[in-house]
Amino acid sequence: MEDPITSPYDILFEALTLIPIRHYLYALFLIWTVFVYNFVEFHFLGDAVLQYFRCRVNLIYNPHSPIYHGVASRCRTLHGRYVATPWLATPHLQTCFLNFHGLPPGQISLFFVCLFVAVLDADPPNNQNEITKEDTTPIAVVIPGLTSDSSSAYLKHLAYNTAKSGWNVVISNHRGLGGVSVTSDCFYNAGWTEDVRVVLAHLQHDYPMAPLFAIGTSIGANILVKYLGEEGEKTPLKGAVAICSPWDLLISDRFICRKFKQRLYDRALTIGLQGYAQLHEPQYTRLANWEGIKKSRSIRDFDNHATCHVGKFETVDTFYRKSSSTQYVGNVAVPLLCISALDDPLCTKEAIPWEECRANKNIVLATTNHGGHLAFFEGLTASSLWWVRATNEFLGALSCSRYMHVQKIQESGSSGSGKQEEPTINQSPYLKIAEDGLVAVVNLEENTPRSEEATQVLNQRGPKVKDKRSFNVLCRQTKRSIWLLGYIGMVTGFPLVGMLMSYLFRKKQRPITASKS
């Protein structure tokens, strides 16, 4: 009697049962590792194999640009390679790690000199020397990113390294940040350039002999480029650097809502904005939709319920279009270095104005394949930021060259005296530091008699808020945002970190076992 024909599936199933279970576990682990490697965009294998080709800095500039040939061509950092820290070889780990690392290795003293300006010096407070009007030391004005201020780790790192080069550093904190209370109905946003304009006028008036430079980071870079385009030849700046600018806010808004990973960042930044709004709850309750602010789940929601109301924009898209710096690139008249990472998880490369930058002879655009958002960690210990080194080298070469911008003074026919008018920021308000650390504002008008008409106008602004809260409230409110970024880093990086720790542990155990035997 013939044996029944065995099904090929039965043969295959029997063969599969003969494979040890641990081999299946190895296969699952390999599949999971490949998935995580691609999901969080690790690139250390590619850096190790193709470092010569993939890690070069790509420079975009006009072929006839005097800024490139006279300044950028001397910068070795811009003509070298950026290799990310191996254990941070992913844009997400780099971006998250920036919130917990990057503090300067030395001491920095902090001084408030006006409403939203903090001056940082690399020397201890006891050794500080006052800056005089005749001082010719260059001043670097830093414009922070969204909800960042002079206490942010990456800004302290930048300030320390810039001050170590012999420069004076000024961090222009946004309204309502840096411990300064808001006394008007005006708040900063991604396109608000008036504060930068007033701060530069104040510094130029007080230190006329010191050349002024500016460094913008993230949203601060968008504000800086927009300001440069608005001012053109009239700006007092000698040069500028824009780091990780979003460029086109409408494109960036679509990008940050596109994938799951980007939506996590969107949510984390929204929590930070809600903490900022809660610090100034009386003003936002009166000017905006407070219930909508509390329920916001994205930056777009927050802009819809807060920014559009305060800034008098018709729609969110209108605000994004009017505030984007892309449309101002062609009017930039000062030497400008722009640095962006093509794997930036917040500011997409789709928004970079490649052709506009190439057409402007004053702009040099430097892009790297990796770096994350404002991170660019380098070295085995991640002790330095590549963009800080590139920025200081570019500004140092520019300050020693003949290509610094020369301001064109606009003729004024309204004043016959010829005396330069004092900037309004120098008149009022002044600062008063309270016991709880809050930097409050003292107006000179408080001791000045007012007319009945002026008194009525002031009374219409609403009652003064007596419950002033400390800057520590904002720190507590933004803890959730920072911990959420930390959670993103742990979820994305834990599998490979566990592999590394397991490998090192087993490597240490082998000599011990050998000695016992």
Side-chain angles (χ1 to χ4, degrees), residues 67-113:
I67 307 305
Y68 172 78
H69 295 290
V71 181
S73 60
R74 303 187 203 170
C75 301
R76 297 180 60 183
T77 305
L78 295 177
H79 289 81
R81 297 177 179 81
Y82 166 67
V83 182
T85 300
W87 50 278
L88 290 175
T90 162
H92 307 293
L93 282 181
Q94 287 220 42
T95 303
C96 296
F97 194 66
L98 188 68
N99 293 273
F100 305 95
H101 188 68
L103 292 173
Q107 182 179 8
I108 292 180
S109 8
L110 179 65
F111 305 94
F112 291 98
V113 296

Side-chain angles (χ1 to χ4, degrees), residues 15 43 186 235 242 365 485 513:
H43 50 79
C186 182
T235 177
L365 171 63
L485 288 175
T513 307

